[in-house]
Amino acid sequence: MGNTDTKLNFRKAVIQLTTKTQPVETNDDSFWDQFWSDSVSTVQDFFTLIPAAEIRALREESPSTLATLCYKAVEKIVRAAEHSCRTQEEQRIALNCVRLLTRILPYIFEDPDWRGFFWSSVPKQSHRNSPEDAEEEKTQPLAYVLLNTLADLLFVPEFTVGATKKGPDQAEDLSSVDSCEYIWESGVGCAISPPHVPQHDLHRAEILKLLLTCCSELIYLPALETPEANPWVTYLTSTDNRHALPMFTSLLNVIFAYDPVGYGVPYNYLMFTDSREPLVEIAAQFLCVCVDQDVTLEGPEEISSNLFVNYLSRVHRDEDLAFLLKGFSRLLNNPLIQTYLPASCKRIQFYQELLVLFWKFCDYNKKFLYFVLKSSDVLDVLVPILYYLNDARTDQSRLGLVHIGVFILLLLSGERNFGVRLNKPFIQRIPVDVPVFTGTHADLLILVFHKMITTGHPKLQPLFDCLLTIIVNVSPYLKSLSMVAANKLLHLLEAFSTPWFLYSNPNHHHLVFFLLEVFNNLIQYQFDGNINLVYACIRKRAVFHQLANLSADHETETLAPGKDAEPGTLKATLAATPSIKRMTEETTPLPTAPGAVAAGAWSEIEQAGNEETLDFSAIAEKMKPPMRRAPSSNDSVSVSMSATWVPTPEWVVSWKKKLPLQTIMRLLQVLVPQVEKICIDRGLTDETEIIKFLQHGTLVGLLPVPHPILIRKYQPNSGTTTWFRTYLWGVIYLRNMDPPIWYDTDVKMFEIQRV
């Protein structure tokens, strides 16, 4: 009952604040102190007792009162930090002020007239001793004061970190504290693991939530007004923040040292409260925001002004890189854990933030990328990514997760070692609904990609180029594809080469070029081990003959819609997917043979804009050419370009003559008669006998001169930077619903849609 009364008193204070016709005096401490008193004790209380409508009303009708409330809250936080939060009361006041600002800030950011509020000087009487100090504090923007103080609070002994000094109960002057001695967890740059205090984790998480809220001003700016750098992040990651290094290492270590399973006791997460997981989640989100930088704006050799990016790019010791990779592997594989007892292991939910971090690590730190690829450990990252791609492929609300997984695999596929590692046999059991096969990780990758293309959501079609580019990049190194994977590749070629699909869009023929390049690479460079593919090509030889004799006549078809997400699901819109031409650059990793002709047919074709979202269903019921039907008023999905673009015979001829069919047609010319003869002579009907015959054959000297291997490596570009920033903030928005920090505010960066 007493707790209800105190909350009632707090609610009365809020009503009094929002209904006063005259501004409240700034020196009326008894009134202002009600907002950080012990009446409320959780951040949920602040969100419940301070409705959004009343914050907006206060902002519009009494702006000076709202400004005073913010000034007072910041001042209280500064006072508490100066006294090192020594007492329970000071800690409570600091936390309540942090919670109050977390509630209010989004409504200040959403109003353009308030954008400069935190970048104005602090109008308060200084309690410093000298006039110089008072003048310096007066001219410092409120944002700097707040950020400096919050950074200090992250390293306050007995509040957010354990005390290292023993002795009398005296406040330690934070200005003299070496925060590098108070790094939260062992790992990179710290060998000592401090004692785990759950209360400290909770305090850190609340402060990080406010820091993340401060950095969210960006999402309230229209796309055309988005600055190149977030001013809040710029200050936090600059030399002006004396805690930049310990902040970075603390965030890094607390994330990658986290083990959600622990000792593996079944259902331990139901018996004990895990205070570390909320901290790890918000730390991952905050670290993602702090390392969000457009690398295309800086030269390749230029040292980043963002200290977090700078520190990240300089991690180089093998033990540090191993710590990070092990952390990524442990956390990303967590949802794949299968036990005999259902739901007996804790499942993490912040895998999207981990994938963003993995992308940033590989993009900024090439030593980390090469360390990941130098052993088979990269497969411990590949398998969970394929699991996420397969699991989310039909869910409209998780299309962003599919995109980032594909982007990461595109980045990795540009390195030769990735293709080589894929040859490791796949013996793991994971919950992925692909056909049963006995083979390698390359087979798993092809089967998942086939599933995404044939049964994925229509809005995944802009990724088809990326998916096939990944297969092209790794194909020269794949020693042995299973029969199942080989048949899936032929299945894709058969579907993509049908006239009704080729002629429905000016870019669809690029997919055929990609697949032909895959077949050429496998035949020219890995013929001996890929007899399954050769046999599949012989069986499906009609596909290649039809492609060589493709008619210039055309027909188009309206396709059926795909599945939507569960009703009521919230999703954030994404920026346009950059075209594959913008995302990659072509390189030749191996020396070309004398007289070799470049077979990069893709480079010969001008890549048209590919940023429109083209609706495309499950390729017309498992890729079968559809029957013509009369247009219906009930048709809800249409091919967006069909009304404005009509294929012409000249257009067909322009790319058909460039199809790289020479190698495959020569193979068929040589092997088909031999296979037909052996089948007739020996009466063979079993494909295993035919495959054995093909294994003893050779095409040395019969195929065209091997073409140079062409790898399309990812290159940083502003398009992917914009896409990642939009995706990241969409994830942060949707993942922070308790409390709902940004919910129902006027976000401009993306749209929140209820499916």
Side-chain angles (χ1 to χ4, degrees):
M1 186 69 184
N3 188 40
T4 304
D5 289 341
T6 55
K7 290 184 179 180
L8 185 59
N9 292 335
F10 182 86
R11 179 66 188 137
K12 288 179 178 178
V14 173
I15 294 173
Q16 189 178 4
L17 179 73
T18 56
T19 56
K20 276 185 175 291
T21 55
Q22 297 297 324
V24 184
E25 293 294 332
T26 57
N27 57 4
D28 187 358
D29 292 338
S30 61
F31 174 78
W32 297 110
D33 287 346
Q34 297 177 91
F35 296 98
W36 31 86
S37 66
D38 56 0
S39 301
V40 287
S41 56
T42 66
V43 67
Q44 286 78 11
D45 290 340
F46 281 87
F47 278 75
T48 302
L49 300 174
I50 309 179
E54 294 184 13
I55 301 175
R56 289 192 174 106
L58 185 64
R59 183 189 68 197
E60 302 299 329
E61 298 168 11
S62 185
S64 61
T65 302
L66 179 59
T68 303
L69 181 63
C70 292
Y71 290 134
K72 287 286 186 181
V74 173
E75 183 180 21
K76 284 293 181 180
I77 296 176
V78 172
R79 291 282 180 85
E82 287 175 346
H83 291 88
S84 302
C85 294
R86 183 176 52 157
T87 65
Q88 289 290 331
E89 183 182 3
E90 287 176 336
Q91 293 183 12
R92 174 182 52 74
I93 290 175
L95 287 173
N96 277 345
C97 289
V98 165
R99 295 160 183 160
L100 178 65
L101 290 174
T102 303
R103 178 56 172 154
I104 291 175
L105 256 59
Y107 299 93
I108 291 179
F109 292 157
E110 73 175 3
D111 190 333
D113 295 335
W114 282 75
R115 296 258 163 83
F117 172 69
F118 276 93
W119 305 102
S120 58
S121 300
V122 184
K124 70 166 191 168
Q125 293 181 349
S126 177
H127 48 275
R128 303 290 186 188
N129 296 326
S130 65
E132 292 79 6
D133 288 342
E135 181 63 26
E136 179 182 351
E137 186 164 325
K138 179 182 177 183
T139 57
Q140 194 175 28
L142 184 61
Y144 292 177
V145 175
L146 179 59
L147 293 178
N148 283 334
T149 308
L150 293 177
D152 283 341
L153 288 180
L154 290 174
F155 301 97
V156 176
E158 301 295 354
F159 179 53
T160 49
V161 294
T164 58
K165 296 182 180 180
K166 307 296 182 182
D169 186 22
Q170 295 294 328
E172 191 169 4
D173 185 5
L174 292 185
S175 62
S176 64
V177 167
D178 182 5
S179 49
C180 288
E181 297 179 1
Y182 294 99
I183 293 175
W184 299 348
E185 187 58 78
S186 61
V188 177
C190 180
I192 302 174
S193 183
H196 179 210
V197 181
Q199 203 64 27
H200 294 172
D201 284 347
L202 299 177
H203 295 167
R204 295 165 181 168
E206 297 222 45
I207 295 169
L208 288 178
K209 275 189 186 293
L210 177 53
L211 284 170
L212 188 62
T213 306
C214 290
C215 297
S216 69
E217 183 176 9
L218 204 64
I219 69 177
Y220 296 98
L221 300 177
L224 297 178
E225 298 179 20
T226 303
E228 293 178 352
N230 186 331
W232 296 85
V233 173
T234 299
Y235 186 81
L236 271 173
T237 59
S238 70
T239 53
D240 293 321
N241 177 13
R242 69 186 186 92
H243 300 293
L245 179 57
M247 274 181 67
F248 171 77
T249 50
S250 293
L251 294 170
L252 202 64
N253 294 347
V254 82
I255 295 169
F256 294 105
Y258 177 58
D259 184 358
V261 177
Y263 292 110
V265 178
Y267 304 106
N268 61 340
Y269 67 99
L270 298 177
M271 296 181 284
F272 308 102
T273 301
D274 184 2
S275 65
R276 183 51 61 95
E277 184 183 25
L279 173 63
V280 174
E281 287 191 7
I282 195 68
Q285 293 169 6
F286 183 60
L287 184 58
C288 286
V289 169
C290 286
V291 297
D292 177 28
Q293 175 176 298
D294 190 349
V295 294
T296 61
L297 299 177
E298 300 182 352
E301 304 299 327
E302 187 176 343
I303 298 177
S304 174
S305 58
N306 182 319
L307 290 182
F308 278 38
V309 173
N310 191 13
Y311 297 146
L312 175 56
S313 66
R314 289 162 53 189
V315 177
H316 65 281
R317 296 191 308 167
D318 281 356
E319 54 266 38
D320 291 339
L321 297 174
F323 167 76
L324 296 174
L325 179 55
K326 186 177 179 181
F328 273 120
S329 175
R330 178 176 59 253
L331 294 172
L332 288 175
N333 279 281
N334 170 262
L336 278 68
I337 297 175
Q338 299 185 76
T339 60
Y340 290 107
L341 298 173
S344 62
C345 285
K346 187 180 184 68
R347 295 285 191 266
I348 64 166
Q349 301 297 323
F350 57 95
Y351 46 83
Q352 296 186 84
E353 295 90 322
L354 288 170
L355 291 175
V356 173
L357 283 176
F358 187 82
W359 170 272
K360 296 293 185 184
F361 277 49
C362 291
D363 200 16
Y364 294 153
N365 190 330
K366 296 307 175 188
K367 293 186 181 69
F368 176 77
L369 176 60
Y370 299 143
F371 182 85
V372 169
L373 293 168
K374 80 176 185 179
S375 72
S376 296
D377 291 341
V378 66
L379 302 178
D380 293 333
V381 176
L382 168 70
V383 172
I385 289 177
L386 292 177
Y387 165 79
Y388 296 132
L389 293 181
N390 181 73
D391 188 54
R393 72 183 189 279
T394 61
D395 189 345
Q396 184 180 357
S397 66
R398 301 171 70 196
L399 296 184
L401 171 61
V402 177
H403 278 70
I404 188 173
V406 172
F407 289 164
I408 289 173
L409 296 184
L410 177 65
L411 177 66
L412 295 176
S413 71
E415 305 296 332
R416 176 184 178 276
N417 275 357
F418 180 68
V420 173
R421 301 301 169 204
L422 291 178
N423 291 303
K424 184 177 179 179
F426 179 73
I427 57 176
Q428 188 178 352
R429 292 180 60 191
I430 61 172
V432 176
D433 57 336
V434 296
V436 177
F437 71 98
T438 301
T440 65
H441 285 75
D443 295 308
L444 176 66
L445 182 141
I446 290 172
L447 294 178
V448 170
F449 282 10
H450 176 270
K451 200 86 172 178
M452 292 171 63
I453 292 172
T454 58
T455 64
H457 195 277
K459 290 187 177 179
L460 288 184
Q461 198 194 355
L463 288 179
F464 286 6
D465 280 348
C466 286
L467 294 174
L468 296 186
T469 298
I470 293 166
I471 299 178
V472 170
N473 283 348
V474 302
S475 59
Y477 315 111
L478 304 184
K479 295 181 178 180
S480 177
L481 287 184
S482 68
M483 185 63 77
V484 178
N487 284 331
K488 295 305 182 186
L489 286 177
L490 265 298
H491 188 220
L492 289 179
L493 180 65
E494 185 177 11
F496 289 152
S497 60
T498 53
W500 65 268
F501 177 77
L502 275 175
Y503 300 156
S504 64
N505 183 277
N507 296 320
H508 280 175
H509 63 283
H510 296 154
L511 305 176
V512 174
F513 277 80
F514 278 134
L515 285 168
L516 291 176
E517 192 172 343
V518 171
F519 293 131
N520 288 340
N521 285 339
L522 290 168
I523 292 169
Q524 292 278 22
Y525 292 100
Q526 302 291 347
F527 176 83
D528 291 341
N530 280 295
I531 299 303
N532 288 330
L533 180 76
V534 173
Y535 176 70
C537 289
I538 293 174
R539 284 190 60 208
K540 290 285 187 178
R541 56 190 179 276
V543 175
F544 299 100
H545 290 299
Q546 290 170 5
L547 195 56
N549 300 312
L550 192 66
S551 170
D553 295 333
H554 62 272
E555 59 180 44
T556 58
E557 184 68 25
T558 299
L559 304 176
K563 300 177 183 177
D564 285 331
E566 289 295 322
T569 305
L570 293 178
K571 72 184 185 80
T573 57
L574 299 170
T577 305
S579 66
I580 192 67
K581 199 68 175 177
R582 289 181 59 193
M583 292 179 63
T584 58
E585 59 182 353
E586 297 175 348
T587 62
T588 306
L590 299 178
T592 59
V597 179
W602 170 257
S603 61
E604 298 175 3
I605 304 174
E606 182 178 358
Q607 166 72 343
N610 202 25
E611 296 187 4
E612 72 276 7
T613 299
L614 187 68
D615 289 327
F616 184 67
S617 74
I619 312 194
E621 296 179 356
K622 299 186 179 179
M623 299 289 206
K624 294 180 181 178
M627 300 294 291
R628 282 196 171 276
R629 58 183 174 82
S632 167
S633 60
N634 295 325
D635 291 343
S636 58
V637 178
S638 62
V639 178
S640 62
M641 301 192 66
S642 59
T644 57
W645 180 80
V646 177
T648 63
E650 293 77 19
W651 170 79
V652 176
V653 171
S654 69
W655 56 262
K656 178 185 171 185
K657 63 184 179 182
K658 298 176 183 176
L659 285 171
L661 284 167
Q662 297 83 359
T663 298
I664 191 71
M665 297 304 283
R666 180 60 178 159
L667 176 143
L668 295 175
Q669 182 184 4
V670 173
L671 292 182
V672 169
Q674 295 181 15
V675 171
E676 290 178 341
K677 184 176 185 302
I678 197 72
C679 288
I680 295 173
D681 292 349
R682 300 184 185 178
L684 298 180
T685 57
D686 186 2
E687 68 179 21
T688 57
E689 295 295 327
I690 301 173
I691 291 174
K692 285 182 180 178
F693 167 75
L694 291 173
Q695 285 175 334
H696 294 94
T698 180
L699 292 178
V700 175
L702 298 176
L703 295 178
V705 176
H707 57 274
I709 296 176
L710 194 66
I711 302 297
R712 296 168 182 85
K713 300 187 70 167
Y714 167 79
Q715 58 180 354
N717 61 90
S718 58
T720 49
T721 300
T722 301
W723 187 94
F724 268 96
R725 181 172 298 144
T726 306
Y727 169 68
L728 172 61
W729 278 109
V731 170
I732 291 173
Y733 180 107
L734 295 173
R735 295 269 295 116
N736 285 273
M737 287 297 180
D738 184 24
I741 298 177
W742 299 278
Y743 183 73
D744 206 25
T745 57
D746 189 18
V747 174
K748 295 288 199 304
M749 179 182 283
F750 48 81
E751 293 180 13
I752 294 296
Q753 301 172 348
R754 187 175 295 277
V755 178

